[in-house]
Amino acid sequence: MSTTISDEIHEHLEPSLPPSSPNGHNGSEDAASGIVYRVAQYVPRRSWRTWLIGRHLATADAPHQTIGKAIGLAVFASDALSSTAYATQEILAILAAAGAAALVYAFPISLAIILLLVIVSVSYEQTIHAYPGGGGAYIVARDNLGELPAQTAGAALLTDYILTVSVSVSSGVAQIASAFPALAPWRVPLAVGMVIVIMLINLRGVKESGLAFAIPTYFFVVIMFLTVGFGLLRYVTGGLGLVPNPPPITAGTAAVSVVGLFLLLHAFSSGTAALTGIEAISNGITAFKEPRSHNAGITLMWMSGILGSLFLAITFLSGQIHAVPSDQETVISQLARTVLGGRNFLYLATIGATTLILIMAANTAFADFPRLSALHAGDGFLPRQLTYRGSRLVYSRGIVVLAVIASLMIIVFNASVTALIPLYAIGVFLSFSLSQLGMARRWWKIGHMKPGEEVREPGSTLRYAPGWQWKLCVNALGSASTFVVMVIFAITKFRDGAWIILVLVPTLVFIFFRIHHHYRDLAKSLSLDDYGAPPAIRRHRVIVPISGVHRGSLAALDYARSLSPDVTAVHISVDAAEAEKLQEKWEQWGNGVRLVILESPYRLLLEPLLGYVEHIAELRQPAEVITIVVPEFVPKHWWTRLLHTQTAVLLRLALAFRRGIVVTDVPYQLDC
Amino acid sequence: MSTTISDEIHEHLEPSLPPSSPNGHNGSEDAASGIVYRVAQYVPRRSWRTWLIGRHLATADAPHQTIGKAIGLAVFASDALSSTAYATQEILAILAAAGAAALVYAFPISLAIILLLVIVSVSYEQTIHAYPGGGGAYIVARDNLGELPAQTAGAALLTDYILTVSVSVSSGVAQIASAFPALAPWRVPLAVGMVIVIMLINLRGVKESGLAFAIPTYFFVVIMFLTVGFGLLRYVTGGLGLVPNPPPITAGTAAVSVVGLFLLLHAFSSGTAALTGIEAISNGITAFKEPRSHNAGITLMWMSGILGSLFLAITFLSGQIHAVPSDQETVISQLARTVLGGRNFLYLATIGATTLILIMAANTAFADFPRLSALHAGDGFLPRQLTYRGSRLVYSRGIVVLAVIASLMIIVFNASVTALIPLYAIGVFLSFSLSQLGMARRWWKIGHMKPGEEVREPGSTLRYAPGWQWKLCVNALGSASTFVVMVIFAITKFRDGAWIILVLVPTLVFIFFRIHHHYRDLAKSLSLDDYGAPPAIRRHRVIVPISGVHRGSLAALDYARSLSPDVTAVHISVDAAEAEKLQEKWEQWGNGVRLVILESPYRLLLEPLLGYVEHIAELRQPAEVITIVVPEFVPKHWWTRLLHTQTAVLLRLALAFRRGIVVTDVPYQLDC
């Protein structure tokens, strides 16, 4: 791993490249023979990045491992299960606007959410069987509904992955601050620090060794079932009691005087955050052992079961102990210290497990967001750079983009889960609805096929199946109910921030299509089909702008003269005396090259030069190219660069759109 | 003014440039003849900038006007006189820390400041006579004390000009907010907006038509004398009374229980802000009519007289009416409404005049800062770009730099004069002290000359003068007293913010010298003295990195082949299948050019290419240059640029420090 490029290239290349001789042109015969050399592999050097994110991994190192149901549950459930850490509290936060008495409505609302969970789970189970190669909303919508719905689903999901990170990390920090109130003023920096750590771990690349996932997930599941189980036991035996020293109530929005339908729907919307992450398994079916659809389906059912019962139990117990929504202490913390009898070791373990599962959930988004954006980029709807896998075989750019945007969200919304929730979940439900609409469409197509017929689509294969009507109904119900939830969400939370997503998603879709059209047009304008090669370049006109006669400008002049005999040096004169001196020096050092002095009484530098170049360009003949050779100092230190005007950069920008004009800068390395 | 460059160049150049013929090289004989063409003047086109800051002014348009004493007072006094608007209040703000009873010490403190004013004025009067060509602290220190003191004085003055803008504009906004309390919450945006307007006016260029200065300055002087005169009259007749409904007191720093020496010195320091701007006339002596030193000296005395009497009267009356320092209403406003009997028309006129003179003071800094920084830049202690005069003959870059930094200061210090004052004045007194020390040194030199002897220095001429001992004493006293004031200021206000300046000024001086050394070394390494021309370039090796075979890369290839017969195309392969396809296409389109494929199993793009280039560079012979021709797409829209990796930019950065390697990008203009 330690040989460097030059050694290797030397070995492989040396015999093929003939030594060049002083007459200067003997390489040509060889070049004309058109041999294709294949040069050895390039092995990167180690640097500070190696220390930070690990050594480079070769493309061939990509792992191909599959996992069973138990590990699968651990890997994919963290996002879904972690939402139990805040869903109950967010329901309470909305209800609190109508006074403490309104908090009793939390439990019936959670029952409605459980019903929705059942519908969505059953509906997704069908997707898992239909798309054994991975049935994310983007793929299902693309195959069955077309590009617009697919891009919409993708945009919604990408937004949501960002919010998963912001919400989960903010909630995790809120748990820590509940246990250690002294940390409360540092919530924002703590949360951003956490995002950075998760980013670095993901840039290193998370080995999909299930164990790393299994420990925190099962730790959380076990300890939460212990806590709620113990709580229910104390409830049955009548010894549960109320929260001792409850924190002050923080209501989500402006107080309302009565409990109306709007308030209940508003609280319900907040609670639907519990369903986020349920789609994770359908994205990752290929990770499962064969029969993978079967295994993935069973895992989904287990996950929904655990999620539903935990959520219900937490909401029920919170009601019994009169837990209140507060930005000083989370509901989970109130529940744990009430049930477990104070801030003891078990309490700390519960808070620790909750924080850990929230961090795991954020980590999931760090796997999903880059993968989905690479999928978009591969289809040409996002910058192609996002398909580039970094040194550790991960989509590094997507990871960094996610970390930056999620951190900004945390800063803007002050690490408050309650402030972030109105932006969250709406995208999830939009993508749920679209993917299940796609599934319904798929059953419709299947129902109209002949038995035995097969149609291959990019993501799956369509085969006639009896009972398609029933399956169509399930998916249609899933699609319709999630659509309704999305509309409720958008209306009740519009003013709290949902409007941001309602503006953002269409904007993103519009941008995606603009990008797509650009790439399509690019391919067309670069295509070699029906390409008649233009006449070869036969003549260079070279222009050398000079500010003075010195070693730097003479180096550029030398280079210019090696390109063509037709060289013109141009000096923009803002000071007649200086131009006079320059002319004298030119006679001594100019090597007979033509010098043009452009007087600029208005002290402009770039504009007269551009005018001159454009004038010369008009006189140009076909097969003639104008090359502008710009002398450029390269100071030794970065800061001294600021002391020099970057003429070449400005010229290149100004001339980029002119055909047949090439800007070359000849660097002159300074010792200072 | 409407002919464009191409018309003019066409006229003048056409006969001299022979039409080039298709054989491509007939320009060479002509080029070899080394004719120097002189091309017509470039007249810029009009654009949005014309509308904003006016049409371009030619260098020859620079005005050469001189002014008399009355106008001279108006032009140069605004900075000094405007400080009466806040100096009294800042004394009171410090005293208030020891309770309202301590405010009575303001008047004796102001007497001490008047004494200092007299010393400084007399001392500066001598500078005016010694430096009829302009005796700013920078020039006096440079000529008499050397570079280090000169740069220190300059750095102190530059800092102070920035603070003049911040303090004056903040105080101006405070006056407005006193008259219209509804505007109070908008102080910061109002102040920044004001800075931007002053910047635009200065970018247009202030015609030094004295009238524009005379009206606001004399308006202020007349109305302030009316107000304080009326106040004194009411005092004498016993009908003055106290401030009705005084605003709440805002104390400057933490409360102290007794009036001690530290508190009095602290308050004195704040009051010395009244002296800022006194140096303005000595900078601008050349603007006066002959005998200019005489006229300038008399103007200085008038200015000091007006400043002193206004300051004394304001402080006295403020004490009598029990005016209090407050961030809700300025002392000037309290004084005006008490004396003038309410918020009537005369009151508004007083506030308006005060605001206007403060804006004029800020405007003065916009003339001084760019001029002084151009002086530094001309001596090579600041970036040379600062000597460049923009389209309107003003040092546009200095103006913009000043506006940006002053606005930042306003934002950081929340437009609070009391918060800004501890940073202010310390630089002024440092430069006062240095310039007067320089004058003392000058008298010492003069005293040791023979009668009749003359020594020419850049800024002035030394001639023996009798009575030099007396003059030396005056300047030495001026230098010593301002030095003591500076030390008092630095100690008493150290924790309030003066430490910032004590760190900043030495840092600036260090940077100035680093810049100076860079320019000196640059001149040395570009010098053509003992320059043995290196062997002329005789051979090009051309490397064309390609990502695919398409119209863009073929255009670059065509350009490369026109430079040299020794061309190698290099493809970095991260995907073997893609490399295979590229090779096939190359056989059809590659024109027989050698293709090298570098496999990059670690998916790096730039590093293998750099490694290859460095390897080739090692094989290179003298008089051989490596040119890397990079195909570059030029998308039609700026945003589509983001969708393409800027390989050429990265390559150029990475190779800038390698000698004999030139990077050229061949733009390929896209239609999308």
Side-chain angles (χ1 to χ4, degrees), chain A residues 572-614:
Chain A
I572 313 297
S573 160
V574 290
D575 179 344
E578 216 176 275
E580 207 72 45
K581 269 200 286 183
L582 182 130
Q583 239 171 297
E584 272 168 38
K585 267 187 157 179
W586 193 254
E587 262 150 50
Q588 188 187 345
W589 295 100
N591 249 319
V593 168
R594 177 173 50 218
L595 171 69
V596 169
I597 292 178
L598 296 176
E599 280 176 8
S600 180
Y602 297 90
R603 300 165 308 285
L604 294 166
L605 295 173
L606 201 60
E607 292 83 350
L609 185 60
L610 288 177
Y612 179 76
V613 169
E614 288 195 14

Side-chain angles (χ1 to χ4, degrees), chain B residues 390-599:
Chain B
S391 63
R392 297 285 295 180
L393 269 172
V394 295
Y395 299 108
S396 346
R397 288 158 199 194
I399 291 173
V400 173
V401 167
L402 173 60
V404 169
I405 307 181
S407 298
L408 285 178
M409 297 296 287
I410 288 172
I411 293 167
V412 169
F413 290 90
N414 209 13
S416 157
V417 176
T418 306
L420 284 162
I421 277 286
L423 282 71
Y424 197 34
I426 190 165
V428 169
F429 283 100
L430 178 55
S431 71
F432 281 3
S433 185
L434 283 168
S435 94
Q436 282 154 83
L437 185 65
M439 282 301 294
R441 178 92 198 282
R442 190 172 177 278
W443 294 122
W444 182 257
K445 282 193 280 181
I446 284 178
H448 290 74
M449 283 167 71
K450 295 185 199 83
E453 190 186 352
E454 263 195 26
V455 175
R456 280 186 185 275
E457 287 190 344
S460 70
T461 306
L462 274 60
R463 260 183 229 93
Y464 181 79
W468 60 271
Q469 297 91 336
W470 166 244
K471 295 183 171 191
L472 189 154
C473 286
V474 167
N475 282 130
L477 176 66
S479 176
S481 56
T482 48
F483 181 75
V484 169
V485 169
M486 188 195 72
V487 171
I488 291 173
F489 198 106
I491 292 171
T492 57
K493 295 195 167 285
F494 187 80
R495 291 181 58 184
D496 303 341
W499 66 268
I500 298 175
I501 302 299
L502 294 179
V503 170
L504 187 65
V505 169
T507 310
L508 284 178
V509 171
F510 175 76
I511 291 172
F512 289 180
F513 274 95
R514 286 298 299 270
I515 291 174
H516 191 58
H517 290 159
H518 171 71
Y519 281 125
R520 202 190 49 200
D521 296 349
L522 174 71
K524 211 183 290 168
S525 69
L526 288 180
S527 163
L528 292 176
D529 305 340
D530 70 340
Y531 173 64
I537 297 167
R538 297 194 50 194
R539 190 173 184 284
H540 286 264
R541 275 200 186 214
V542 184
I543 295 171
V544 188
I546 56 167
S547 60
V549 182
H550 48 64
R551 295 188 183 199
S553 52
L554 292 187
L557 194 68
D558 183 33
Y559 186 85
R561 292 175 67 222
S562 75
L563 295 185
S564 162
D566 185 357
V567 178
T568 310
V570 178
H571 175 69
I572 314 296
S573 159
V574 290
D575 179 343
E578 215 176 277
E580 206 73 46
K581 268 200 287 184
L582 181 129
Q583 237 170 300
E584 271 167 40
K585 265 185 155 180
W586 193 254
E587 261 150 49
Q588 188 189 346
W589 294 100
N591 249 318
V593 168
R594 178 172 50 217
L595 171 69
V596 168
I597 291 178
L598 296 175
E599 280 177 8

Side-chain angles (χ1 to χ4, degrees), chain A residues 1 5 9-10 13 17 20-21 24-28 30-32 34-39 41-42 44 56-59 383 385 388-391 393 514 518-519 521-522 525-531 536-537 539-541 549-552 554 558-559 562-563 565 583 589 592 594-599 601-604 607-608 611-612 615-616 621 624 627 633-635 639-640 642-645 652 656-659 661-662 664-665 667-672, chain B residues 1 5 9-10 13 17 20-22 24-25 27-28 30-32 34-39 41-42 44 56-59 383 385 388-391 393 514 518-519 521-522 525-531 536-537 539-541 549-552 554 558-559 562-563 565 583 589 592-599 601-604 607-608 611-612 615-616 621 624 627 633-635 639-640 642-645 652 656-659 661-662 664-665 667-672:
Chain A
M1 283 302 193
I5 172 92
I9 290 182
H10 212 276
L13 203 65
L17 280 182
S20 48
S21 73
H25 286 299
N26 77 334
S28 55
D30 185 67
I35 304 160
V36 175
Y37 296 87
R38 204 164 250 294
V39 179
Q41 299 182 345
Y42 176 76
H56 284 74
L57 293 178
T59 313
Q385 289 98 317
Y388 176 79
R389 287 199 287 175
S391 62
L393 269 173
R514 286 297 299 269
H518 172 72
Y519 280 126
D521 295 349
L522 175 71
S525 69
L526 289 180
S527 163
L528 292 174
D529 305 340
D530 72 340
Y531 174 63
I537 297 168
R539 190 171 185 284
H540 286 264
R541 276 199 184 213
V549 182
H550 49 64
R551 294 189 182 199
L554 292 187
D558 184 32
Y559 185 84
S562 75
L563 295 186
Q583 239 171 297
W589 295 100
R594 177 173 50 218
L595 171 69
V596 169
I597 292 178
L598 296 176
E599 280 176 8
Y602 297 90
R603 300 165 308 285
L604 294 166
E607 292 83 350
Y612 179 76
H615 169 70
I616 296 293
Q621 304 186 344
E624 188 174 68
T627 298
F633 304 139
V634 180
W639 66 269
T640 47
L642 303 177
L643 304 176
H644 302 281
T645 313
R652 200 174 298 111
F657 294 95
R658 296 293 316 244
R659 287 175 201 270
I661 296 179
V662 172
T664 295
D665 35 55
Y668 185 78
Q669 287 81 6
L670 299 173
D671 297 325
C672 55
Chain B
M1 281 305 195
I5 173 90
I9 290 182
H10 213 275
L13 202 66
L17 280 182
S20 48
S21 73
H25 286 299
S28 55
D30 184 66
I35 305 160
V36 174
Y37 295 88
R38 204 163 253 292
V39 178
Q41 299 182 347
Y42 176 75
H56 284 74
L57 292 178
T59 312
Q385 289 98 318
Y388 176 78
R389 287 199 287 174
S391 63
L393 269 172
R514 286 298 299 270
H518 171 71
Y519 281 125
D521 296 349
L522 174 71
S525 69
L526 288 180
S527 163
L528 292 176
D529 305 340
D530 70 340
Y531 173 64
I537 297 167
R539 190 173 184 284
H540 286 264
R541 275 200 186 214
V549 182
H550 48 64
R551 295 188 183 199
L554 292 187
D558 183 33
Y559 186 85
S562 75
L563 295 185
Q583 237 170 300
W589 294 100
V593 168
R594 178 172 50 217
L595 171 69
V596 168
I597 291 178
L598 296 175
E599 280 177 8
Y602 298 89
R603 299 166 307 285
L604 295 165
E607 292 83 350
Y612 178 78
H615 169 70
I616 295 294
Q621 303 187 344
E624 188 175 67
T627 298
F633 305 138
V634 180
W639 65 270
T640 47
L642 303 177
L643 304 176
H644 302 281
T645 314
R652 199 172 300 112
F657 294 96
R658 295 294 315 247
R659 288 176 200 270
I661 297 179
V662 172
T664 296
D665 35 54
Y668 185 78
Q669 287 82 5
L670 298 173
D671 297 325
C672 56

Side-chain angles (χ1 to χ4, degrees), chain B residues 90-423:
Chain B
E90 296 308 320
I91 297 175
L92 295 178
I94 302 298
L95 292 175
L103 298 183
V104 295
Y105 292 97
F107 189 68
I109 286 172
S110 71
L111 288 176
I113 291 168
I114 295 292
L115 178 66
L116 187 65
L117 171 66
V118 171
I119 296 174
V120 171
S121 300
V122 172
S123 187
Y124 258 104
E125 212 270 341
Q126 296 195 159
T127 307
I128 287 172
H129 285 274
Y131 284 84
Y138 178 67
I139 289 169
V140 175
R142 189 184 63 187
D143 282 8
N144 298 295
L145 302 175
E147 270 180 355
L148 184 61
Q151 294 305 319
T152 309
L157 274 178
L158 288 175
T159 333
D160 239 78
Y161 289 141
I162 294 167
L163 285 159
T164 298
V165 175
S166 309
V167 168
S168 303
V169 168
S170 297
S171 177
V173 170
Q175 309 294 347
I176 296 176
S178 299
F180 308 99
L183 293 174
W186 307 99
R187 282 160 67 146
V188 172
L190 269 175
V192 172
M194 229 176 240
V195 172
I196 292 171
V197 170
I198 301 174
M199 178 191 81
L200 286 178
I201 290 171
N202 278 277
L203 285 176
R204 280 193 86 95
V206 182
K207 259 252 181 81
E208 312 248 318
S209 92
L211 202 66
F213 284 88
I215 293 174
T217 306
Y218 283 112
F219 179 50
F220 174 77
V221 169
V222 168
I223 210 150
M224 283 310 282
F225 271 112
L226 266 178
T227 304
V228 299
F230 196 53
L232 290 172
L233 191 74
R234 286 184 65 180
Y235 168 73
V236 172
T237 59
L240 186 56
L242 302 181
V243 180
N245 308 316
I249 293 186
T250 316
T253 42
V256 289
S257 49
V258 287
V259 177
L261 182 63
F262 185 85
L263 186 79
L264 292 178
L265 289 176
H266 198 177
F268 168 78
S269 302
S270 285
T272 56
L275 266 67
T276 56
I278 200 97
E279 80 288 359
I281 292 178
S282 67
N283 287 325
I285 309 167
T286 49
F288 282 88
K289 284 207 169 76
E290 292 288 359
R292 53 193 190 194
S293 286
H294 174 80
N295 285 331
I298 291 176
T299 310
L300 173 64
M301 287 306 152
W302 269 101
M303 182 174 86
S304 300
I306 296 173
L307 169 62
S309 44
L310 268 187
F311 173 57
L312 212 56
I314 290 171
T315 311
F316 175 76
L317 286 173
S318 301
Q320 294 307 319
I321 62 168
H322 291 196
V324 294
S326 168
D327 58 10
Q328 284 180 22
E329 188 183 2
T330 62
V331 165
I332 294 289
S333 168
Q334 294 172 49
L335 178 66
R337 70 181 166 89
T338 309
V339 167
L340 303 171
R343 294 175 187 268
N344 50 27
F345 175 75
L346 264 175
Y347 163 82
L348 285 180
T350 309
I351 295 296
T354 310
T355 308
L356 214 55
I357 195 105
L358 284 162
I359 291 174
M360 299 302 292
N363 187 63
T364 307
F366 270 92
D368 292 338
F369 179 93
R371 203 187 292 144
L372 181 57
S373 55
L375 214 58
H376 276 270
D379 288 350
F381 286 92
L382 270 177
R384 294 252 192 236
Q385 289 98 318
L386 289 170
T387 62
Y388 176 78
R389 287 199 287 174
S391 63
R392 297 285 295 180
L393 269 172
V394 295
Y395 299 108
S396 346
R397 288 158 199 194
I399 291 173
V400 173
V401 167
L402 173 60
V404 169
I405 307 181
S407 298
L408 285 178
M409 297 296 287
I410 288 172
I411 293 167
V412 169
F413 290 90
N414 209 13
S416 157
V417 176
T418 306
L420 284 162
I421 277 286
L423 282 71

Side-chain angles (χ1 to χ4, degrees), chain A residues 228-279:
Chain A
V228 299
F230 195 53
L232 290 173
L233 191 72
R234 287 184 63 182
Y235 169 72
V236 171
T237 59
L240 185 55
L242 303 183
V243 180
N245 307 315
I249 294 186
T250 318
T253 43
V256 290
S257 49
V258 288
V259 177
L261 182 64
F262 185 85
L263 186 80
L264 292 178
L265 288 176
H266 198 177
F268 167 79
S269 302
S270 285
T272 55
L275 266 67
T276 56
I278 199 97
E279 79 289 0

